[in-house]
Amino acid sequence: MLRSLVGSEMCIRDSIRPYTPISRVDQTGYFELMVKKYKGSKMGSHTHALKRGDKLSVKGPFVKIPIKANQYRHIGMLCGGSGVAPMFQVAHHVLNTSGNKTNINMVYANRRKEDVLLGNELNELMMAYPNFSPYFVLSKAPSDWMGGIGHVNKEIIKAFMPGPDRASDSVVLVCGPPGFMKDVSGDKDFKSSPPSQGELAGMLKDMGYSSKQVFKF
């Protein structure tokens, strides 16, 4: 959780944003964050403007869901944009654990190839661990694109995610921008603090998944 005062001299506001570290969970001494800057982003723009020696207030870490190697037979990941960050941390932790047999399938959606974050790191995991399989989907794909084209749909979910009949040994993790969450699983309930999981909705509900099999970051 990052906290900072952002804005102009005439209008300074306290801005708080949650981020998932992309470094290993057992890393000591420092941690790494992936902060995306885009038009209108308060914390992202502020963080990218920081200079050496500037400071940010940090609070945490907060464990969202404790996932261990071999806890599940199959982990499915549905993510969009910067929502890949918690997925990468989970995959990196599980796959690097000695004796792990958990299979991980990830569907990662973006608009353009240039928008893909941690692409090299995900490919490195795929090359190192045969039980990790990422599938990249672009809504505006180049002519030579070999991955998925369009948006995440029920056919893609059925092809890559553990089915709704696998609730006893599998979990589906979801993270992405509001529109992505609404279509896939329904967003979290931000009326409470911290936000609750909210009701399961979207394509996952339509396909018969239960709320206990789905976790929203």
Side-chain angles (χ1 to χ4, degrees):
M1 190 78 73
L2 295 185
R3 179 178 182 179
S4 183
L5 297 177
V6 301
S8 65
E9 293 182 359
M10 297 297 293
C11 183
I12 300 178
R13 293 187 177 91
D14 195 15
S15 183
I16 301 175
R17 295 291 185 274
Y19 290 94
T20 300
I22 58 173
S23 47
R24 292 184 56 161
V25 297
D26 58 352
Q27 178 68 51
T28 59
Y30 71 93
F31 63 91
E32 297 173 293
L33 296 176
M34 180 177 65
V35 181
K36 183 178 180 180
K37 177 186 177 182
Y38 57 92
K39 185 177 180 180
S41 62
K42 295 179 181 179
M43 182 61 77
S45 298
H46 177 72
T47 303
H48 278 257
L50 292 176
K51 300 178 178 62
R52 184 181 294 273
D54 292 342
K55 297 181 179 180
L56 282 172
S57 296
V58 179
K59 185 178 182 180
F62 303 102
V63 178
K64 298 293 185 179
I65 177 172
I67 295 182
K68 302 177 181 179
N70 300 318
Q71 179 180 352
Y72 298 102
R73 186 174 181 180
H74 191 175
I75 296 176
M77 298 178 170
L78 296 167
C79 54
S82 58
V84 70
M87 308 299 182
F88 178 75
Q89 188 190 57
V90 170
H92 197 244
H93 170 63
V94 171
L95 294 170
N96 275 281
T97 301
S98 178
N100 171 65
K101 297 180 180 179
T102 299
N103 293 310
I104 302 177
N105 284 74
M106 173 190 290
V107 172
Y108 182 22
N110 284 281
R111 292 185 62 193
R112 305 170 303 166
K113 186 176 180 180
E114 295 79 12
D115 297 325
V116 176
L117 304 171
L118 299 174
N120 291 335
E121 290 81 355
L122 292 173
N123 284 329
E124 289 174 1
L125 286 180
M126 179 182 64
M127 296 297 293
Y129 302 98
N131 52 336
F132 175 65
S133 178
Y135 182 69
F136 300 91
V137 180
L138 299 180
S139 59
K140 294 186 176 181
S143 58
D144 60 346
W145 179 248
M146 301 297 290
I149 299 176
H151 299 278
V152 175
N153 53 43
K154 293 179 181 179
E155 288 71 26
I156 290 177
I157 294 175
K158 183 177 180 180
F160 294 99
M161 295 296 102
D165 58 336
R166 296 283 302 279
S168 62
D169 63 0
S170 302
V171 66
V172 177
L173 309 177
V174 189
C175 189
F180 179 88
M181 298 296 292
K182 178 181 177 181
D183 292 341
V184 174
S185 62
D187 212 339
K188 294 190 291 184
D189 184 358
F190 292 96
K191 295 179 182 178
S192 60
S193 182
S196 65
Q197 286 290 292
E199 294 185 5
L200 182 64
M203 289 181 282
L204 292 181
K205 181 179 180 180
D206 294 342
M207 296 174 69
Y209 286 87
S210 63
S211 57
K212 71 175 183 178
Q213 190 181 3
V214 177
F215 184 85
K216 310 170 192 177
F217 281 102

